[in-house]
Amino acid sequence: MEAAQVLLGVMWTGLTLYALLGGADFGGGLWDLLAGSSRAGMPQRRLIEHSLGPVWEANHVWLIFVLVVLWTGFPPVFAAVMSTLYIPLTLAAFGIIGRGAAFAFRKSSTELWQQRLFGGAFALSSVLTPFFLGTVAGAVASGRVPPGLARGSLVGAWVNPTSMLGGVLAVAVCAYLAAVYLCDDAVRSRLPGMAEAFRRRGLAAAAVTGVVALGGIGVLRADAPRLFTGLTHRALPLVLASAVLGVASIALLWLRRYLLVRGTAALAVAAVMWGWPVAQYPLMLPPAVSYRQVAAEPAVITAVLAVAGAGALLVLPSIAWLLAVQHRLPFERGTPG
């Protein structure tokens, strides 16, 4: 196996972790938005704050890691994506910044109008950010990002059927993951009523995600035929695995097996995440640019892998410890802020 292939796998592992961890945080913002009025929705918002508070900043480590690896390991791809898709990427960056600021300010606000203002900004940013990131994925996957600086359409590259599908699917998946994770958090916090509420939302999110995914088959066949062919041939085992795991997750959620469904839901999303690169391998910029054409010099690839390995020895145990501590934190009932 080539060093560039290994680096691709490492980079995609980081992106998968961002989808599973950061995606659930974005989904928590959606459920915050739909929690209800200030008084009626307060218990759910408290649980969401409790679940996100200790780890939400740490999850962006994975996004930063992916961007750095793409920049150093495959610089022509980084240049093409960042220049052609700078509009949705800028909007996503504003969303990440605004979301973090609003989350922090709402926590420290004492006036109800301030909490509502920052809460609305937090929730809206949590929906728009994964949507714009999904449109970027759709643009690359459908072959609308040619090599070179800003060679693709600055609007048409991400405003198209495949990109819209990617954006909507990203929001739906984030909402589903968040609901599943919050069920388990509610049970551990001895809030069975809250677990039931998020269980119903998780089932609803699963249904919406399934409908969007099924509708997406026709979209991809018409708008991104190369990707459709890859998903129905080379990546078909991963697509089928995702479908089976998705059905199993719905069954486990229905049976209230919250710890098990947490694992199957994550595996279902991971299968989808890996189905995309397998479907278009060895291309990084469809329809013609392979990873071999855009990979950095072997010495650079080796250095990046060495640094990534050393960083993993420091970062992974720290994040695992952070998640373990977060799961042991007691849930404090009370008024937000």
Side-chain angles (χ1 to χ4, degrees):
M1 181 177 291
E2 302 171 25
Q5 289 176 306
V6 176
L7 188 59
L8 272 177
V10 170
M11 183 181 72
W12 210 259
T13 299
L15 190 61
T16 304
L17 289 171
Y18 185 64
L20 295 177
L21 301 175
D25 284 359
F26 289 131
L30 173 63
W31 297 128
D32 187 286
L33 177 66
L34 301 177
S37 63
S38 300
R39 183 176 296 275
M42 184 264 290
Q44 292 185 20
R45 293 190 175 97
R46 287 288 298 172
L47 179 63
I48 291 170
E49 284 189 359
H50 170 74
S51 298
L52 298 187
V55 298
W56 66 282
E57 284 282 23
N59 288 329
H60 292 303
V61 167
W62 305 114
L63 180 60
I64 296 169
F65 171 76
V66 169
L67 292 176
V68 171
V69 171
L70 183 63
W71 174 38
T72 54
F74 309 94
V77 176
F78 180 88
V81 171
M82 291 296 166
S83 58
T84 295
L85 300 174
Y86 78 88
I87 295 177
L89 287 169
T90 299
L91 292 172
F94 282 152
I96 292 173
I97 296 169
R99 179 177 180 271
F103 184 80
F105 285 132
R106 183 177 71 170
K107 189 71 175 176
S108 60
S109 297
T110 56
E111 299 293 332
L112 180 59
W113 71 268
Q114 293 175 334
Q115 294 176 357
R116 286 176 173 172
L117 174 64
F118 293 126
F122 165 71
L124 184 62
S125 298
S126 297
V127 175
L128 293 179
T129 301
F131 174 80
F132 286 122
L133 291 175
T135 64
V136 170
V140 175
S142 61
R144 289 182 165 93
V145 182
L149 293 177
R151 295 288 181 86
S153 171
L154 297 182
V155 176
W158 62 280
V159 181
N160 57 74
T162 302
S163 289
M164 294 300 104
L165 171 65
V168 173
L169 191 59
V171 174
V173 168
C174 289
Y176 173 61
L177 285 175
V180 168
Y181 293 177
L182 286 166
C183 285
D184 185 46
D185 290 344
V187 169
R188 285 188 288 101
S189 299
R190 299 179 182 178
L191 298 169
M194 198 90 68
E196 280 298 306
F198 283 113
R199 171 178 169 271
R200 291 191 294 271
R201 294 184 175 192
L203 291 171
V208 171
T209 304
V211 169
V212 172
L214 289 174
I217 295 174
V219 172
L220 294 181
R221 186 172 185 176
D223 189 62
R226 289 177 181 270
L227 178 61
F228 176 81
T229 300
L231 289 172
T232 53
H233 289 80
R234 178 186 292 165
L236 185 59
L238 286 169
V239 173
L240 293 177
S242 177
V244 171
L245 288 165
V247 172
S249 298
I250 293 174
L252 290 171
L253 192 58
W254 183 267
L255 296 172
R256 299 175 177 83
R257 305 298 296 272
Y258 297 132
L259 185 59
L260 288 176
V261 73
R262 192 168 185 146
T264 56
L267 288 174
V269 174
V272 172
M273 290 291 299
W274 283 84
W276 170 21
V278 170
Q280 70 176 44
Y281 182 84
L283 302 178
M284 289 192 74
L285 292 177
V289 181
S290 72
Y291 73 92
R292 291 187 180 92
Q293 295 172 270
V294 293
E297 293 295 324
V300 175
I301 298 291
T302 302
V304 173
L305 285 172
V307 171
L313 294 177
L314 297 174
V315 173
L316 292 180
S318 301
I319 290 182
W321 178 251
L322 179 62
L323 291 172
V325 171
Q326 187 260 348
H327 285 168
R328 296 191 184 100
L329 289 176
F331 176 69
E332 298 178 3
R333 296 168 174 81
T335 305

